[in-house]
């Protein structure tokens, strides 16, 4: 970079920083004015003097008579500051659990708390109150709040939420989230007996759900036959079959190798799946087993000339090229 270009970049950066600082100062000024008006209105209603000591951000954040956008903007612009102060965390917790407050404000408050919780040491004094708030939201009438709370707790393997999801799937109680989502959240804990739910999701789910189902099945040895069947299923999408192959390879590498060899050399199968099987055998398979199978290597040699499927032919040539010298 030339000196002139460097100076130009430095000037542009400085200008952007100054503009951002000016915009922030203007926002704080506008916030103070909004807070002053809010305090004055509140004091007039209550017949008291305005509380001039309350921080403008706190005033605006907690004034439910203000537009939702105004309150949400406090969290968006000042989250890095307010989440460092206990009184703001407590205020956010009150907002989140107030079912009479604006859903948009409650969602923003929950998002702010979720970000603050990543600062584990700083957030520790509020963790129990936060967990209690999340549990309170599990049956909240607002779907996004419910899903966020259930997802957060389920990923922590919270037993209360796990039991709620299981009871809901069995029809013994309401499901706080969509059925597919409930199964996937439970599947995050492979110590649970999730295989029946995963098989259900595979049988009746969308392509994305089927792909997720076979991915999670990779944690369950009893899923080996199901995964093999999916990998062999020519009516299934290539993406789902490839994910099933990855899970099968994790559970039973030898079985995957046998099935992958059969698919790779089957001219009636999907070229994408055949290519994926060859590539996996080359890079992740047991080299000694793969190349010791002379019948398979001979078939791969034939594949290397199949120019009608160039990706497959290229993968076959790559596999042959990497064959260990005898």
């Amino acid at each position: 970079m030339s000196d002139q270009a460097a100076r130009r970049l430095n000037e542009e950066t400085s200008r952007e920083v100054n503009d951002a600082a000016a915009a922030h100062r203007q926002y704080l000024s506008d916030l103070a004015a909004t807070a002053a008006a809010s305090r004055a209105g509140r004091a007039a209603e209550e017949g008291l003097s305005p509380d001039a000591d309350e921080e403008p951000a706190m005033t605006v954040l907690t004034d439910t008579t203000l537009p939702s956008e105004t309150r949400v903007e406090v969290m968006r612009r000042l989250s890095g500051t307010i989440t460092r102060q206990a009184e703001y965390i407590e205020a956010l917790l009150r907002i989140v659990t107030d079912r009479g407050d604006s859903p948009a404000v409650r969602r923003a408050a929950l998002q702010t708390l979720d970000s603050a919780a990543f600062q584990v040491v700083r957030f520790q004094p509020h963790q129990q109150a936060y967990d209690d708030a999340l549990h309170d939201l599990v049956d909240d009438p607002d779907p996004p709040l419910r899903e966020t709370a259930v997802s957060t707790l389920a990923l922590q393997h919270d037993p209360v939420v796990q039991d709620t999801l299981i009871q809901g799937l069995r029809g013994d109680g309401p499901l706080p989230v969509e059925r597919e989502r409930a199964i996937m959240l439970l599947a995050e804990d492979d110590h649970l007996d999730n295989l029946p739910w995963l098989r259900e999701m595979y049988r009746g789910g969308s392509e994305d759900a089927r792909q997720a189902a076979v991915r999670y099945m990779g944690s369950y040895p009893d899923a080996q036959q199901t995964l093999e069947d999916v990998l062999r299923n020519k009516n299934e999408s290539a993406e789902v079959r490839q994910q099933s192959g990855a899970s099968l390879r994790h559970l039973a590498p030898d079985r995957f190798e046998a099935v992958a060899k059969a698919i790779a050399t089957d001219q009636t199968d999907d070229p994408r799946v055949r290519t994926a099987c060859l590539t996996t055998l080359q890079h992740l398979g047991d080299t000694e087993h793969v190349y010791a199978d002379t019948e398979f290597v001979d078939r791969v040699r034939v594949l290397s000339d199949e120019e009608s499927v160039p990706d497959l032919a290229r993968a076959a040539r790559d596999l042959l090229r990497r064959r260990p010298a005898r």
Side-chain angles (χ1 to χ4, degrees), residues 85-229:
Q85 302 177 52
E87 59 268 28
Y88 280 98
I89 295 295
E90 292 163 5
L92 291 168
L93 287 166
R94 288 193 296 272
I95 291 170
V96 162
T97 54
D98 182 1
R99 298 188 178 188
D101 207 335
S102 159
V105 176
R106 296 176 69 207
R107 293 171 198 164
L110 184 56
Q111 184 178 15
T112 304
L113 287 167
D114 185 54
S115 297
F118 279 101
Q119 301 296 326
V120 177
V121 175
R122 184 193 302 155
F123 197 76
Q124 185 58 43
H126 312 288
Q127 187 63 54
Q128 186 58 57
Y130 178 53
D131 289 344
D132 291 343
L134 291 173
H135 282 103
D136 184 70
L137 293 174
V138 169
D139 64 351
D140 196 273
D142 184 67
L145 285 169
R146 275 203 317 273
E147 175 149 358
T148 299
V150 171
S151 298
T152 301
L153 291 168
L155 291 174
Q156 296 172 356
H157 299 175
D158 181 273
V160 175
V161 163
Q162 288 179 335
D163 186 62
T164 298
L165 294 174
I166 291 170
Q167 295 302 318
L169 289 172
R170 290 174 176 166
D172 296 330
L175 261 179
V177 295
E178 294 293 330
R179 191 172 184 88
E180 283 185 3
R181 181 63 176 157
I183 293 173
M184 285 190 277
L185 287 172
L186 286 172
E188 293 291 342
D189 185 353
D190 58 15
H191 294 94
L192 300 175
D193 182 18
N194 294 312
L195 190 53
W197 305 123
L198 294 172
R199 283 175 171 149
E200 173 198 310
M201 188 166 76
Y202 175 76
R203 288 193 300 269
S206 63
E207 181 174 336
D208 287 345
R210 297 198 307 277
Q211 189 169 351
V214 295
R215 174 167 60 85
Y216 285 119
M217 285 183 195
S219 297
Y220 299 91
D222 288 346
Q224 178 179 328
Q225 187 58 54
T226 300
L227 292 169
E228 181 175 334
D229 291 344

Side-chain angles (χ1 to χ4, degrees), residues 304-324:
S304 68
D305 295 326
E306 286 193 23
E307 294 306 331
S308 60
V309 277
D311 288 342
L312 178 64
R314 189 179 306 112
R317 288 193 294 270
D318 287 344
L319 188 144
L320 293 171
R321 220 175 4 248
R322 293 172 181 266
R323 185 178 186 182

